[in-house]
Amino acid sequence: MSSAAFAQAAPAAAPAVNHGPALPGVCVLSLEGAITTSTVGGYVQTRLQQIATQVQAELKAEDTALQNEAKTLEGQRASLDQKTFEQRATALQTKATAFQRKAQLRERELGATQQKALGRVGQELDPIIRQVYQQRQCSMLLNRDSIVIANPAMDITQPVVTALNAKIQQFSFDRERLDQAAAPAQAPAAAATPRK
């Protein structure tokens, strides 16, 4: 491809935007941007990835064991009587079903963990947003992610990130355990059952 043809195929650079004056009292904030660019937001993403990797390793080991058991059973099919083969196949199917339920539970646990961790970041962010809002004498705060273009002078995202970084860098959290949370909830119901 010639350099002239390449120059024609390359997209043109976006023209510079000349913003009008900043509107007094109108501020914009990218909540997602504040979370993802903050130190604590980066930590949460890294920790969530670590937890997801642990879950994947746990599930992969069980999945591999199930697949190996299935191959072994299939290899023994000719040497087993029909009844024994069917019993073993049924037992294997029961294990596979339990594994699927466990994998679904782990997926829900990862979602609950992410929701709880981001909720904590949100709790830390809320007073900071209010503080910067008042410092900048905002009358209205708009979500920058819903606006196509805004004057950067109205954007309070960076001061919010700076304040969040000064307040918190990380906090410890582990995977939420939904199976353990469900067990205590079932116990009182069983205790409340009247005796005959």
Coordinates of all heavy atoms in Angstrom, one line a residue, residues 48-116:
L48 N -11.0 -8.5 42.7 CA -12.1 -9.2 42.1 C -11.5 -10.2 41.1 O -12.0 -11.4 41.0 CB -13.1 -8.3 41.5 CG -14.0 -7.5 42.4 CD1 -14.8 -6.5 41.6 CD2 -14.9 -8.4 43.2
Q49 N -10.5 -9.8 40.4 CA -9.9 -10.8 39.4 C -9.2 -11.9 40.1 O -9.3 -13.1 39.7 CB -8.9 -10.0 38.5 CG -8.3 -10.9 37.4 CD -9.4 -11.5 36.5 OE1 -10.3 -10.8 36.0 NE2 -9.4 -12.8 36.3
Q50 N -8.5 -11.6 41.2 CA -7.9 -12.7 42.0 C -8.9 -13.7 42.5 O -8.7 -14.9 42.4 CB -7.2 -12.1 43.2 CG -5.9 -11.3 42.9 CD -5.4 -10.5 44.1 OE1 -6.0 -10.4 45.1 NE2 -4.2 -10.0 44.0
I51 N -10.0 -13.2 43.0 CA -11.1 -14.1 43.5 C -11.7 -14.9 42.4 O -11.9 -16.1 42.5 CB -12.2 -13.2 44.2 CG1 -11.6 -12.6 45.5 CG2 -13.4 -14.1 44.5 CD1 -12.5 -11.6 46.2
A52 N -11.9 -14.3 41.2 CA -12.4 -15.0 40.1 C -11.5 -16.1 39.6 O -11.9 -17.2 39.3 CB -12.7 -14.0 38.9
T53 N -10.2 -15.8 39.7 CA -9.2 -16.8 39.3 C -9.2 -18.0 40.3 O -9.1 -19.1 39.8 CB -7.8 -16.2 39.2 OG1 -7.8 -15.1 38.3 CG2 -6.7 -17.1 38.9
Q54 N -9.3 -17.7 41.5 CA -9.4 -18.8 42.5 C -10.7 -19.7 42.3 O -10.6 -20.9 42.4 CB -9.5 -18.2 44.0 CG -8.3 -17.5 44.4 CD -8.5 -16.7 45.7 OE1 -9.6 -16.5 46.2 NE2 -7.4 -16.2 46.2
V55 N -11.8 -19.0 42.0 CA -13.0 -19.8 41.7 C -12.8 -20.6 40.5 O -13.2 -21.8 40.4 CB -14.2 -18.8 41.6 CG1 -15.4 -19.5 41.0 CG2 -14.6 -18.2 42.9
Q56 N -12.2 -20.1 39.4 CA -12.0 -20.8 38.2 C -11.1 -22.0 38.4 O -11.4 -23.1 37.9 CB -11.4 -19.9 37.1 CG -12.4 -18.9 36.6 CD -11.7 -17.8 35.7 OE1 -10.5 -17.8 35.6 NE2 -12.5 -16.9 35.2
A57 N -10.1 -21.8 39.2 CA -9.2 -23.0 39.6 C -9.9 -24.1 40.3 O -9.7 -25.3 40.0 CB -8.0 -22.5 40.4
E58 N -10.7 -23.7 41.3 CA -11.5 -24.6 42.1 C -12.4 -25.4 41.1 O -12.5 -26.7 41.2 CB -12.3 -23.9 43.1 CG -13.3 -24.8 43.9 CD -14.3 -24.0 44.7 OE1 -14.1 -22.7 44.9 OE2 -15.3 -24.6 45.2
L59 N -13.2 -24.7 40.3 CA -14.1 -25.4 39.4 C -13.4 -26.2 38.3 O -13.9 -27.3 38.0 CB -15.1 -24.3 38.8 CG -16.0 -23.6 39.7 CD1 -16.8 -22.5 39.0 CD2 -16.9 -24.5 40.5
K60 N -12.3 -25.7 37.8 CA -11.6 -26.5 36.8 C -11.1 -27.8 37.3 O -11.2 -28.8 36.6 CB -10.4 -25.7 36.3 CG -9.7 -26.4 35.1 CD -8.8 -25.4 34.4 CE -8.0 -26.1 33.3 NZ -8.8 -26.8 32.3
A61 N -10.6 -27.9 38.6 CA -10.2 -29.1 39.1 C -11.3 -30.1 39.2 O -11.2 -31.3 38.9 CB -9.6 -28.9 40.5
E62 N -12.5 -29.7 39.7 CA -13.6 -30.6 39.8 C -14.2 -31.0 38.4 O -14.5 -32.1 38.2 CB -14.8 -29.9 40.6 CG -14.4 -29.7 42.1 CD -15.6 -29.2 42.9 OE1 -16.8 -29.6 42.6 OE2 -15.4 -28.4 43.7
D63 N -14.2 -30.1 37.5 CA -14.6 -30.4 36.1 C -13.7 -31.4 35.5 O -14.2 -32.4 34.9 CB -14.6 -29.1 35.3 CG -15.2 -29.3 33.9 OD1 -16.2 -30.1 33.8 OD2 -14.6 -28.8 32.9
T64 N -12.4 -31.3 35.7 CA -11.4 -32.2 35.1 C -11.6 -33.6 35.8 O -11.6 -34.6 35.1 CB -10.0 -31.7 35.4 OG1 -9.8 -30.5 34.7 CG2 -9.0 -32.7 34.8
A65 N -11.9 -33.6 37.1 CA -12.1 -34.9 37.8 C -13.4 -35.6 37.2 O -13.4 -36.8 37.0 CB -12.2 -34.7 39.3
L66 N -14.4 -34.8 37.0 CA -15.7 -35.4 36.4 C -15.4 -35.9 35.0 O -15.9 -37.0 34.7 CB -16.8 -34.3 36.4 CG -17.5 -34.1 37.7 CD1 -18.4 -32.8 37.6 CD2 -18.3 -35.3 38.1
Q67 N -14.7 -35.2 34.2 CA -14.4 -35.6 32.8 C -13.6 -36.9 32.8 O -13.9 -37.8 32.1 CB -13.7 -34.5 32.1 CG -14.6 -33.3 31.7 CD -13.9 -32.3 30.9 OE1 -12.9 -32.5 30.3 NE2 -14.4 -31.1 31.0
N68 N -12.6 -37.0 33.7 CA -11.8 -38.2 33.8 C -12.6 -39.4 34.3 O -12.5 -40.5 33.8 CB -10.6 -38.0 34.8 CG -9.6 -37.0 34.2 OD1 -9.5 -36.8 33.0 ND2 -8.8 -36.4 35.1
E69 N -13.5 -39.1 35.2 CA -14.4 -40.2 35.7 C -15.3 -40.7 34.6 O -15.6 -41.9 34.4 CB -15.2 -39.7 36.9 CG -15.9 -40.8 37.6 CD -16.6 -40.4 38.9 OE1 -16.3 -39.3 39.5 OE2 -17.6 -41.1 39.3
A70 N -15.8 -39.8 33.8 CA -16.7 -40.1 32.7 C -15.9 -40.9 31.6 O -16.4 -41.9 31.1 CB -17.3 -38.9 32.0
K71 N -14.7 -40.6 31.3 CA -13.9 -41.3 30.4 C -13.6 -42.7 30.9 O -13.6 -43.7 30.2 CB -12.6 -40.6 30.1 CG -12.7 -39.3 29.3 CD -11.4 -38.6 29.1 CE -11.6 -37.3 28.4 NZ -10.3 -36.5 28.4
T72 N -13.3 -42.8 32.2 CA -13.0 -44.1 32.8 C -14.2 -45.0 32.7 O -14.1 -46.2 32.3 CB -12.5 -43.9 34.3 OG1 -11.4 -43.1 34.3 CG2 -12.3 -45.2 34.9
L73 N -15.4 -44.4 33.0 CA -16.6 -45.2 33.0 C -16.9 -45.7 31.6 O -17.3 -46.8 31.3 CB -17.8 -44.4 33.5 CG -19.1 -45.1 33.5 CD1 -19.1 -46.3 34.4 CD2 -20.2 -44.1 34.0
E74 N -16.7 -44.8 30.6 CA -17.0 -45.1 29.2 C -16.0 -46.2 28.8 O -16.4 -47.2 28.1 CB -16.8 -43.9 28.3 CG -17.3 -44.1 26.9 CD -18.8 -44.5 26.8 OE1 -19.6 -44.0 27.6 OE2 -19.1 -45.4 25.9
G75 N -14.7 -46.2 29.3 CA -13.8 -47.2 28.9 C -14.1 -48.6 29.6 O -13.7 -49.6 29.0
Q76 N -14.8 -48.6 30.7 CA -15.2 -49.8 31.3 C -16.5 -50.3 30.9 O -17.0 -51.4 31.3 CB -15.3 -49.5 32.9 CG -14.0 -49.2 33.5 CD -14.1 -48.7 35.0 OE1 -15.2 -48.4 35.4 NE2 -13.0 -48.7 35.7
R77 N -17.2 -49.6 30.0 CA -18.6 -50.0 29.6 C -18.7 -51.4 29.1 O -19.6 -52.1 29.5 CB -19.0 -49.0 28.5 CG -20.4 -49.3 28.0 CD -20.9 -48.3 27.0 NE -22.3 -48.0 27.2 CZ -22.9 -47.0 26.9 NH1 -22.3 -46.0 26.3 NH2 -24.2 -46.8 27.1
A78 N -17.7 -51.8 28.3 CA -17.8 -53.2 27.7 C -17.6 -54.3 28.8 O -18.1 -55.4 28.7 CB -16.7 -53.4 26.6
S79 N -16.8 -54.0 29.8 CA -16.5 -55.0 30.9 C -17.5 -55.0 32.0 O -17.5 -55.9 32.8 CB -15.1 -54.8 31.4 OG -15.0 -53.5 32.1
L80 N -18.4 -54.0 32.1 CA -19.4 -53.9 33.1 C -20.8 -54.5 32.7 O -21.1 -54.3 31.5 CB -19.6 -52.5 33.6 CG -18.4 -51.8 34.2 CD1 -18.7 -50.3 34.5 CD2 -18.0 -52.5 35.6
D81 N -21.5 -55.1 33.6 CA -22.9 -55.5 33.3 C -23.7 -54.2 33.2 O -23.4 -53.2 33.7 CB -23.4 -56.5 34.3 CG -23.5 -56.0 35.7 OD1 -24.6 -55.3 35.9 OD2 -22.6 -56.1 36.5
Q82 N -24.8 -54.3 32.5 CA -25.7 -53.2 32.2 C -26.1 -52.5 33.5 O -26.1 -51.2 33.6 CB -26.9 -53.6 31.4 CG -27.8 -52.5 31.0 CD -27.1 -51.5 30.0 OE1 -26.1 -51.9 29.3 NE2 -27.6 -50.3 29.9
K83 N -26.5 -53.2 34.5 CA -27.0 -52.6 35.8 C -25.9 -51.9 36.5 O -26.1 -50.7 36.9 CB -27.6 -53.7 36.7 CG -28.2 -53.2 38.0 CD -28.7 -54.3 38.8 CE -29.3 -53.7 40.1 NZ -29.8 -54.8 41.0
T84 N -24.7 -52.4 36.6 CA -23.6 -51.7 37.2 C -23.2 -50.4 36.4 O -23.0 -49.4 37.1 CB -22.4 -52.6 37.3 OG1 -22.8 -53.8 38.0 CG2 -21.2 -52.0 38.0
F85 N -23.2 -50.6 35.1 CA -22.9 -49.4 34.3 C -23.9 -48.3 34.5 O -23.6 -47.1 34.7 CB -22.8 -49.7 32.8 CG -22.6 -48.6 31.9 CD1 -21.3 -48.0 31.8 CD2 -23.6 -47.9 31.3 CE1 -21.1 -46.9 31.0 CE2 -23.4 -46.8 30.5 CZ -22.1 -46.3 30.3
E86 N -25.2 -48.6 34.5 CA -26.2 -47.6 34.7 C -26.2 -47.0 36.1 O -26.4 -45.8 36.3 CB -27.6 -48.3 34.5 CG -27.9 -48.6 33.0 CD -29.2 -49.3 32.8 OE1 -29.9 -49.5 33.8 OE2 -29.5 -49.6 31.6
Q87 N -25.9 -47.8 37.1 CA -25.7 -47.2 38.5 C -24.6 -46.2 38.6 O -24.7 -45.2 39.1 CB -25.5 -48.4 39.5 CG -26.7 -49.2 39.8 CD -26.4 -50.4 40.7 OE1 -25.2 -50.9 40.8 NE2 -27.4 -51.0 41.3
R88 N -23.5 -46.6 38.0 CA -22.3 -45.7 38.0 C -22.6 -44.4 37.1 O -22.2 -43.3 37.5 CB -21.1 -46.4 37.5 CG -20.6 -47.4 38.5 CD -19.3 -48.1 38.0 NE -18.9 -49.1 38.9 CZ -17.8 -49.9 38.8 NH1 -17.0 -49.7 37.7 NH2 -17.5 -50.8 39.7
A89 N -23.3 -44.6 36.0 CA -23.6 -43.5 35.2 C -24.6 -42.5 35.9 O -24.4 -41.3 35.8 CB -24.2 -44.0 33.9
T90 N -25.5 -43.1 36.6 CA -26.5 -42.3 37.4 C -25.7 -41.5 38.5 O -26.0 -40.3 38.7 CB -27.6 -43.2 38.0 OG1 -28.3 -43.8 36.9 CG2 -28.5 -42.4 38.8
A91 N -24.8 -42.2 39.2 CA -24.0 -41.5 40.2 C -23.2 -40.4 39.6 O -23.0 -39.3 40.2 CB -23.1 -42.6 40.9
L92 N -22.6 -40.7 38.5 CA -21.8 -39.6 37.8 C -22.7 -38.4 37.4 O -22.3 -37.3 37.5 CB -21.1 -40.2 36.6 CG -20.2 -39.3 35.8 CD1 -19.1 -38.7 36.7 CD2 -19.6 -40.0 34.6
Q93 N -23.9 -38.7 36.9 CA -24.8 -37.6 36.5 C -25.2 -36.8 37.7 O -25.3 -35.6 37.7 CB -26.1 -38.2 35.8 CG -27.0 -37.1 35.4 CD -26.4 -36.2 34.4 OE1 -25.7 -36.5 33.5 NE2 -26.6 -34.9 34.6
T94 N -25.4 -37.5 38.9 CA -25.7 -36.8 40.1 C -24.6 -35.8 40.5 O -24.8 -34.7 40.9 CB -26.0 -37.8 41.3 OG1 -27.0 -38.6 40.9 CG2 -26.3 -37.1 42.6
K95 N -23.3 -36.3 40.4 CA -22.1 -35.4 40.6 C -22.1 -34.3 39.7 O -21.8 -33.1 40.1 CB -20.8 -36.3 40.5 CG -20.6 -37.2 41.7 CD -19.3 -37.9 41.4 CE -19.0 -39.0 42.4 NZ -17.7 -39.7 42.2
A96 N -22.4 -34.6 38.4 CA -22.3 -33.5 37.4 C -23.4 -32.4 37.7 O -23.1 -31.2 37.5 CB -22.5 -34.1 36.0
T97 N -24.6 -32.8 38.1 CA -25.6 -31.9 38.4 C -25.2 -31.0 39.6 O -25.4 -29.8 39.6 CB -26.9 -32.6 38.7 OG1 -27.3 -33.4 37.5 CG2 -28.1 -31.7 39.0
A98 N -24.6 -31.7 40.6 CA -24.2 -30.9 41.8 C -23.1 -30.0 41.4 O -23.0 -28.8 41.9 CB -23.7 -31.9 42.9
F99 N -22.2 -30.4 40.5 CA -21.2 -29.5 40.0 C -21.7 -28.3 39.3 O -21.3 -27.1 39.5 CB -20.2 -30.2 39.1 CG -19.2 -29.3 38.5 CD1 -18.1 -28.8 39.2 CD2 -19.3 -29.0 37.1 CE1 -17.2 -27.9 38.6 CE2 -18.4 -28.1 36.5 CZ -17.3 -27.6 37.3
Q100 N -22.7 -28.5 38.5 CA -23.4 -27.4 37.8 C -24.0 -26.4 38.8 O -23.9 -25.2 38.6 CB -24.4 -27.9 36.8 CG -23.9 -28.5 35.6 CD -24.9 -29.2 34.7 OE1 -26.1 -29.4 35.1 NE2 -24.5 -29.6 33.5
R101 N -24.7 -26.9 39.8 CA -25.3 -26.0 40.8 C -24.2 -25.2 41.6 O -24.3 -24.1 41.8 CB -26.1 -26.9 41.8 CG -27.4 -27.3 41.3 CD -28.4 -27.8 42.5 NE -27.8 -28.9 43.2 CZ -28.0 -30.1 43.0 NH1 -28.7 -30.5 42.0 NH2 -27.4 -31.1 43.7
K102 N -23.1 -25.9 41.9 CA -22.0 -25.2 42.5 C -21.4 -24.1 41.6 O -21.1 -23.0 42.1 CB -20.9 -26.2 42.9 CG -19.7 -25.6 43.6 CD -18.7 -26.7 44.0 CE -17.6 -26.2 44.9 NZ -16.6 -27.2 45.3
A103 N -21.2 -24.4 40.4 CA -20.7 -23.4 39.4 C -21.6 -22.2 39.4 O -21.2 -21.0 39.4 CB -20.5 -24.0 38.0
Q104 N -22.9 -22.4 39.3 CA -23.9 -21.3 39.3 C -23.8 -20.5 40.6 O -23.9 -19.3 40.6 CB -25.3 -21.9 39.1 CG -25.5 -22.4 37.7 CD -26.8 -23.3 37.5 OE1 -27.4 -23.6 38.5 NE2 -27.1 -23.6 36.3
L105 N -23.7 -21.2 41.7 CA -23.6 -20.6 43.0 C -22.3 -19.7 43.1 O -22.4 -18.5 43.5 CB -23.5 -21.6 44.1 CG -23.3 -21.1 45.6 CD1 -24.5 -20.2 46.0 CD2 -23.1 -22.2 46.5
R106 N -21.2 -20.2 42.6 CA -20.0 -19.4 42.6 C -20.1 -18.2 41.7 O -19.6 -17.1 42.0 CB -18.8 -20.3 42.1 CG -18.4 -21.4 43.0 CD -17.9 -20.9 44.4 NE -17.5 -22.0 45.2 CZ -18.3 -22.5 46.2 NH1 -19.5 -22.0 46.4 NH2 -17.9 -23.5 46.9
E107 N -20.9 -18.3 40.6 CA -21.1 -17.1 39.7 C -21.9 -16.1 40.5 O -21.6 -14.9 40.4 CB -21.8 -17.6 38.4 CG -21.8 -16.6 37.4 CD -20.5 -16.3 36.8 OE1 -19.6 -17.2 36.7 OE2 -20.2 -15.1 36.4
R108 N -22.9 -16.5 41.2 CA -23.7 -15.6 42.0 C -22.9 -15.0 43.1 O -23.1 -13.8 43.4 CB -25.0 -16.3 42.5 CG -26.0 -16.6 41.5 CD -27.4 -17.0 42.1 NE -27.3 -18.0 43.2 CZ -27.3 -19.4 43.0 NH1 -27.4 -19.8 41.7 NH2 -27.3 -20.2 44.0
E109 N -22.0 -15.8 43.7 CA -21.2 -15.2 44.7 C -20.2 -14.2 44.2 O -20.0 -13.2 44.9 CB -20.4 -16.4 45.4 CG -21.2 -17.3 46.2 CD -20.4 -18.5 46.8 OE1 -19.4 -18.8 46.3 OE2 -20.9 -19.1 47.8
L110 N -19.7 -14.4 43.0 CA -18.8 -13.4 42.4 C -19.6 -12.1 42.2 O -19.1 -11.0 42.4 CB -18.2 -13.9 41.1 CG -17.1 -15.0 41.2 CD1 -16.7 -15.5 39.9 CD2 -15.9 -14.5 42.0
G111 N -20.8 -12.2 41.7 CA -21.6 -11.0 41.5 C -21.9 -10.3 42.8 O -21.8 -9.1 42.8
A112 N -22.2 -11.1 43.8 CA -22.5 -10.5 45.1 C -21.3 -9.8 45.7 O -21.3 -8.7 46.3 CB -23.1 -11.5 46.1
T113 N -20.1 -10.4 45.5 CA -18.9 -9.9 46.0 C -18.6 -8.5 45.3 O -18.2 -7.5 45.9 CB -17.7 -10.8 45.7 OG1 -18.0 -12.1 46.4 CG2 -16.4 -10.3 46.2
Q114 N -18.7 -8.5 44.0 CA -18.5 -7.3 43.2 C -19.5 -6.2 43.7 O -19.1 -5.0 43.9 CB -18.7 -7.5 41.7 CG -18.5 -6.3 40.9 CD -18.6 -6.5 39.4 OE1 -19.1 -7.5 39.0 NE2 -18.1 -5.6 38.6
Q115 N -20.7 -6.5 43.8 CA -21.7 -5.5 44.2 C -21.4 -5.0 45.6 O -21.5 -3.8 45.8 CB -23.1 -6.2 44.2 CG -24.2 -5.3 44.6 CD -25.6 -5.9 44.5 OE1 -25.7 -7.2 44.4 NE2 -26.6 -5.1 44.5
K116 N -21.0 -5.8 46.5 CA -20.7 -5.4 47.9 C -19.4 -4.5 47.9 O -19.4 -3.5 48.6 CB -20.5 -6.6 48.8 CG -20.3 -6.2 50.3 CD -20.3 -7.4 51.2 CE -20.1 -7.1 52.6 NZ -20.1 -8.3 53.5

